[in-house]
Amino acid sequence: MPKVTKQSEGRGDAMVNTETGEETEMAEDPLRPIFSPLGVAELSGKKCEYRKVNVPSNRFTPLKENWLALYEPVTKQMKVDMRMNLKAKKVELKTTKETEDEGALQKAADFVQAFLLGFEVSDAVALLRLDDLYLECFEVKDVKQTLRGEHMSRGIGRLAGKSGKTKFTIENATRTRIVIADQHIRILGSFQNIKIARDALCNLILGSPPGKVYSKLRTITARLSERF
């Protein structure tokens, strides 16, 4: 028995016979219901969704100074409501009826979280615009647990370099952004670039000289540029 499939072209619909290839036009059904596309609220099954981001005590002043720079992209671009809860010391985010993107709330939460971890607003805003950006956080002791006292200070110094030269070199070579806050290291970038930057930072913590790390980075970045 020949198989018949339904095919829509332009305004009208057509039934197509897969064996003969013949098309039979179908009359438009006036009783067929026409539904508007579902919004974010209907897809989630809830009226509103919420996210709360904890604010560390040392980031209150920068948050206050850059509040407008954070507020505008979240509310205008993502169409998500944002407010600061001073009592709970949290930034609260909520979807609205105008929110179009299903992942807008999570993107906005990641954007605020990136700023609170120490990244500049101009760097963190890329999380709202691009889908393949991630945040990775680790500590120096996760790489080498025996570092203490002056050895720890020297390890952190190797990561930054003189006037931040080593950090900037790794950032430019891997197209990432790095924040070094005491023993905490945060990396913002794509999955592959984060891995390259993390490997370079781990080698520096373990005692590799910067020159050796630079040469490895040159080799890897050259290989990546050839691939793409």
Side-chain angles (χ1 to χ4, degrees):
M1 186 175 178
K3 191 177 180 183
V4 178
T5 58
K6 188 178 178 182
Q7 178 180 345
S8 60
E9 292 182 3
R11 294 181 182 176
D13 293 338
M15 298 295 289
V16 183
N17 190 321
T18 53
E19 290 186 359
T20 60
E22 294 178 358
E23 292 185 9
T24 308
E25 290 190 2
M26 292 174 60
E28 291 187 3
D29 186 1
L31 299 176
R32 185 168 56 179
I34 299 171
F35 299 106
S36 59
L38 293 175
V40 177
E42 288 85 358
L43 284 171
S44 62
K46 300 177 183 177
K47 289 184 179 179
C48 293
E49 288 188 359
Y50 299 88
R51 290 283 190 283
K52 292 182 181 180
V53 184
N54 291 321
V55 181
S57 56
N58 65 315
R59 295 298 292 172
F60 263 106
T61 305
L63 181 63
K64 189 177 178 182
E65 292 172 354
N66 295 278
W67 180 257
L68 280 177
L70 291 166
Y71 185 81
E72 287 182 4
V74 170
T75 54
K76 291 182 180 178
Q77 189 178 334
M78 294 286 107
K79 309 272 182 74
V80 173
D81 279 347
M82 182 170 84
R83 72 174 184 180
M84 177 65 199
N85 190 332
L86 291 170
K87 197 172 183 180
K89 297 182 180 179
K90 293 180 180 180
V91 175
E92 297 178 350
L93 301 158
K94 184 185 82 168
T95 55
T96 62
K97 292 180 181 178
E98 297 176 356
T99 308
E100 297 169 358
D101 185 8
E102 195 176 359
L105 187 65
Q106 187 59 49
K107 283 182 180 180
D110 290 341
F111 167 57
V112 175
Q113 183 68 46
F115 174 77
L116 294 175
L117 286 174
F119 293 97
E120 295 290 331
V121 178
S122 54
D123 296 330
V125 79
L127 286 164
L128 299 178
R129 296 171 183 160
L130 302 171
D131 292 330
D132 60 340
L133 286 185
Y134 304 95
L135 276 169
E136 178 156 343
C137 305
F138 64 97
E139 295 184 28
V140 175
K141 284 189 175 180
D142 294 338
V143 182
K144 193 172 183 180
Q145 295 181 358
T146 56
L147 287 178
R148 289 182 183 84
E150 292 182 1
H151 298 291
M152 173 67 77
S153 303
R154 280 196 291 270
I156 296 168
R158 280 197 299 273
L159 295 178
K162 187 179 179 181
S163 302
K165 180 186 171 185
T166 305
K167 182 174 84 80
F168 293 140
T169 305
I170 295 172
E171 284 181 343
N172 294 332
T174 58
R175 296 177 185 176
T176 56
R177 286 292 175 268
I178 299 167
V179 169
I180 301 170
D182 193 24
Q183 298 179 23
H184 301 275
I185 301 161
R186 290 93 184 229
I187 309 173
L188 171 67
S190 65
F191 180 79
Q192 191 173 27
N193 292 344
I194 285 175
K195 184 180 182 301
I196 297 167
R198 187 182 64 232
D199 290 344
L201 291 169
C202 290
N203 288 334
L204 287 168
I205 292 168
L206 292 170
S208 295
K212 191 174 182 181
V213 174
Y214 293 161
S215 62
K216 277 187 179 179
L217 278 175
R218 282 193 211 101
T219 308
I220 292 167
T221 49
R223 207 179 294 159
L224 284 174
S225 60
E226 286 175 6
R227 186 183 298 176
F228 294 112

